[in-house]
Amino acid sequence: MEMLMLTLTIFVLAIFVGVEVINKVPPTLHTPLMSGTNAISGIVVVGAIISSGGGEQTDGLSTFLGVLAIILACINIFGGFTVTDRMLHMFKKK
Amino acid sequence: MHSFINFAYLVAAVLFIYGIKGMTTPKTAVRGNQLSAVGMLIAVIAALLEQNVVSYLYIIMGILIGAAIGTFLAKKVQMTSMPEMVAALNGFGGGASLLVASANYLEMQKAAALPMGAIMGMPEANMQWAIALIFSILIGAITLTGSFVAVGKLMGKLGDPSSIGMFKAIVKVCFVLLLAGSAYFVYDGPLENTDLLIVMVVICLLLGVALVIPIGGADMPVVIALLNSYSGLAGSATGFVLGNNGLIITGSLVGASGLILTTIMCKAMNRSLTNVLFGGSMAAQAGVSKDENDAFYEGKVKVTSADEVAMLLDSAKKVVFVPGYGLAVAQAQHATRELASMLQKHDIDVKYAIHPVAGRMPGHMNVLLAEAEVPYEQLVEMDVINPEFAQTDVAIVLGANDVTNPAASKDPNSPIFGMPILEVANAKTVIVVKRGLSPGFAGIPNELFINDNSLMVHGDAKLVLQEIIGAMKDL
């Protein structure tokens, strides 16, 4: 139960941090913001890596699901960061 | 080692926050994005060091395939199609959370069946885990199918259904089934109820479709932002499942971002989220028929030519462009910038008025104009530009419709009444470039087009702008 309270606290505080930081992003950059957050939501890849790593707890099906998750998360990571970079460079040049 | 790995996840999360902080100005944004990418690299390396990761073959295969697809999509996508790209990425994010949680479920089952019980480093399959698992799987599944329906709608392959009653009913039934199913799943022992979990996943996949299909095409900006938020929340829930704080923090950042953008979009349309989600498309609610639309404009529209527009512009001191999605469809952003540069050489003050819902997603119009090398300083937000219209000599409306409709402030019976608009009508002369007089997404005629100070030029935005540029050169 204590563990749950701790993780819940982290979750709630992180939402507040998110709101504070994101409220300062100007409307001009809202599209790159969305693709950028797409990229960082690929962090779920860390869970996928553990499932695909052939540990004692995995079996054929869970490894398969894990690899599929790695593929999807990496599409997000590589696609998200690359397309965000492409857009932001358009804003940078005068 | 274990605490070192967790520390690495924390570092990654901090870098993500710094990365988003970089997005507060266009100058620092590129660096911010790179910081986030470094954070991701750190997180991936940390995950590879986990004690339960013993073979790297499948991991490397998965990363290579995902990287190839992702990079290809990112390099290839047109800026006009960014909404589809982001919607698809939302879907992949949701899908990844769904898959990770499902894999974790299978692992927990296997671990519980092993003679020595739990495997080292694995959390216990308690009620907290079961609830997180349900959330992760359910939100992930809804995000997955909902996002791809949104992609279909954005591509114009899926239209708005004429009746939304059936979808509302499906949504209600799904909700009841899921609530009952989840409660049973958690209390009866999650590890024994695999079949129930599969049924609930299928219901959620269906729910994702039924939730998004009835939403009108005009409301897609809200839906994309909301699904963005869901994909983050699904990730956060997965963090609870795995007991991974890095995932929880990152997921909640994405969730907060999507939620803020959803609120901004709803405000810009003066609609509540409930109305957007369950009210059906605006045109279906209060749209006029083609005959009514024609009668509204009958004999009242003043049509002008590119030559006359060029003469008007030549004597102007301040010109404001009002771009809408029509500009993107006509690929006219480059021609617009060319005309703007020409006007600036004549010492004419040029600005662009950007409505928050112009384009098909938050900030879309800014990206399209940035692509055409319009300096971002010239892109002015609605609240800032509105007082300036009174001093504007010529306002040029390019493919924007509902966001300029004065009915939003004048006609209490209008479906868009109360929506904040660009007060274009206050400019001395308004030039409306439009193919015909068909209504916009709201399905209603626009009084701006028949105002005394309004002139219309019929035709494709790009061709009309090129004609105006030609006529300016001849002056």
Side-chain angles (χ1 to χ4, degrees):
Chain A
M1 206 58 201
E2 254 172 56
M3 191 62 194
L4 175 66
M5 272 329 289
L6 192 68
T7 37
L8 265 182
T9 311
I10 293 173
F11 175 68
V12 173
L13 290 181
I15 287 188
F16 275 98
V17 172
V19 170
E20 276 307 306
V21 176
I22 286 145
N23 260 332
K24 296 201 180 85
V25 177
T28 311
L29 294 180
H30 277 168
T31 298
L33 171 69
M34 288 183 85
S35 59
T37 52
N38 275 150
I40 66 172
S41 70
I43 182 80
V44 69
V45 78
V46 302
I49 286 176
I50 296 163
S51 295
S52 326
E56 220 182 324
Q57 83 284 13
T58 58
D59 58 20
L61 184 58
S62 72
T63 307
F64 175 72
L65 296 180
V67 174
L68 216 55
I70 290 188
I71 295 176
L72 292 189
C74 282
I75 295 178
N76 263 23
I77 295 172
F78 285 86
F81 282 129
T82 312
V83 85
T84 309
D85 190 65
R86 227 182 105 194
M87 274 189 275
L88 292 175
H89 273 289
M90 293 173 184
F91 283 99
K92 216 181 178 188
K93 64 186 166 202
K94 278 280 164 90
Chain B
M1 195 61 185
H2 190 63
S3 44
F4 170 75
I5 290 171
N6 277 330
F7 182 71
Y9 292 146
L10 178 63
V11 171
V14 170
L15 286 173
F16 292 153
I17 295 174
Y18 266 108
I20 296 179
K21 239 183 134 182
M23 293 261 192
T24 40
T25 67
K27 280 198 184 100
T28 54
V30 173
R31 211 180 135 63
N33 192 45
Q34 288 163 352
L35 271 183
S36 298
V38 171
M40 188 62 74
L41 186 66
I42 292 174
V44 169
I45 292 173
L48 290 172
L49 297 174
E50 294 255 8
Q51 56 181 349
N52 282 333
V53 178
V54 289
S55 114
Y56 296 97
L57 176 67
Y58 293 125
I59 298 176
I60 292 171
M61 265 170 46
I63 292 180
L64 287 181
I65 297 173
I69 300 174
T71 313
F72 174 79
L73 287 177
K75 297 254 180 212
K76 205 106 197 257
V77 66
Q78 298 267 323
M79 285 303 130
T80 34
S81 305
M82 269 317 289
E84 286 95 315
M85 173 86 178
V86 168
L89 291 181
N90 287 340
F92 292 140
S97 291
L98 165 66
L99 290 168
V100 170
S102 308
N104 182 263
Y105 177 79
L106 295 173
E107 289 164 17
M108 283 293 199
Q109 260 184 341
K110 191 174 173 194
L114 287 177
M116 66 283 209
I119 292 173
M120 273 259 294
M122 279 193 72
E124 191 190 341
N126 53 16
M127 186 187 282
Q128 173 198 334
W129 170 82
I131 294 173
L133 184 90
I134 285 279
F135 270 106
S136 171
I137 285 187
L138 303 196
I139 305 175
I142 291 173
T143 314
L144 176 66
T145 47
S147 296
F148 284 99
V149 172
V151 173
K153 287 205 148 206
L154 287 161
M155 290 169 74
K157 298 222 165 101
L158 286 170
D160 300 343
S162 48
S163 148
I164 59 168
M166 185 183 76
F167 294 102
K168 272 189 181 171
I170 294 178
V171 169
K172 277 180 199 152
V173 172
C174 286
F175 265 122
V176 172
L177 288 177
L178 287 174
L179 223 73
S182 306
Y184 186 83
F185 179 81
V186 171
Y187 282 102
D188 191 58
L191 294 179
E192 290 82 52
N193 284 299
T194 316
D195 295 342
L196 176 63
L197 190 64
I198 294 172
V199 171
M200 287 206 288
V201 170
V202 173
I203 293 177
C204 281
L205 294 172
L206 178 74
L207 180 59
V209 175
L211 273 172
V212 179
I213 283 217
I215 301 173
D219 295 326
M220 279 304 126
V222 183
V223 176
I224 302 173
L226 192 67
L227 288 168
N228 194 230
S229 171
Y230 286 174
S231 75
L233 293 178
S236 231
T238 311
F240 278 95
V241 172
L242 304 174
N244 182 325
N245 289 339
L247 213 60
I248 296 177
I249 299 174
T250 314
S252 51
L253 283 178
V254 178
S257 162
L259 216 58
I260 290 175
L261 294 175
T262 308
T263 321
I264 294 177
M265 291 292 107
C266 281
K267 263 193 198 143
M269 297 198 296
N270 189 40
R271 298 179 71 193
S272 68
L273 186 57
T274 335
N275 187 259
V276 170
L277 294 182
F278 302 107
S281 82
M282 278 197 274
Q285 277 176 357
V288 297
S289 71
K290 194 179 175 305
D291 289 345
E292 285 173 285
N293 189 55
D294 289 348
F296 181 88
Y297 291 119
E298 181 80 57
K300 293 177 201 155
V301 176
K302 292 191 290 287
V303 178
T304 187
S305 67
D307 291 331
E308 279 181 63
V309 175
M311 275 190 277
L312 266 170
L313 289 175
D314 194 49
S315 60
K317 286 200 176 56
K318 186 179 169 96
V319 174
V320 176
F321 288 97
V322 184
Y325 187 64
L327 171 125
V329 174
Q331 290 285 333
Q333 58 269 45
H334 296 278
T336 310
R337 209 258 313 144
E338 199 185 333
L339 179 59
S341 314
M342 215 168 165
L343 296 174
Q344 280 182 299
K345 279 195 196 116
H346 286 66
D347 282 330
I348 299 168
D349 181 18
V350 177
K351 280 182 181 153
Y352 298 79
I354 312 289
H355 192 279
V357 292
R360 304 297 296 277
M361 71 181 286
H364 191 202
M365 194 51 66
N366 303 73
V367 171
L368 294 171
L369 292 171
E371 190 193 14
E373 295 177 29
V374 171
Y376 60 82
E377 296 89 349
Q378 289 180 8
L379 308 174
V380 188
E381 287 169 47
M382 175 171 68
D383 297 336
V384 181
I385 196 81
N386 267 344
E388 292 188 28
F389 277 115
Q391 295 102 47
T392 302
D393 298 300
V394 183
I396 305 181
V397 180
L398 295 160
N401 191 346
D402 295 329
V403 297
T404 63
N405 195 335
S409 53
K410 281 196 227 157
D411 177 7
N413 297 320
S414 171
I416 60 167
F417 183 69
M419 174 172 114
I421 55 158
L422 291 164
E423 290 157 9
V424 180
N426 294 343
K428 281 194 198 81
T429 311
V430 180
I431 311 280
V432 181
V433 181
K434 207 173 179 313
R435 281 164 192 267
L437 288 167
S438 56
F441 275 126
I444 51 169
N446 191 342
E447 197 192 296
L448 176 78
F449 302 165
I450 56 170
N451 270 358
D452 289 338
N453 60 344
S454 297
L455 296 167
M456 285 203 88
V457 185
H458 287 304
D460 175 79
K462 189 173 166 184
L463 296 177
V464 170
L465 285 165
Q466 282 164 348
E467 280 174 39
I468 298 175
I469 293 168
M472 289 280 294
K473 282 182 184 150
D474 293 342
L475 279 177

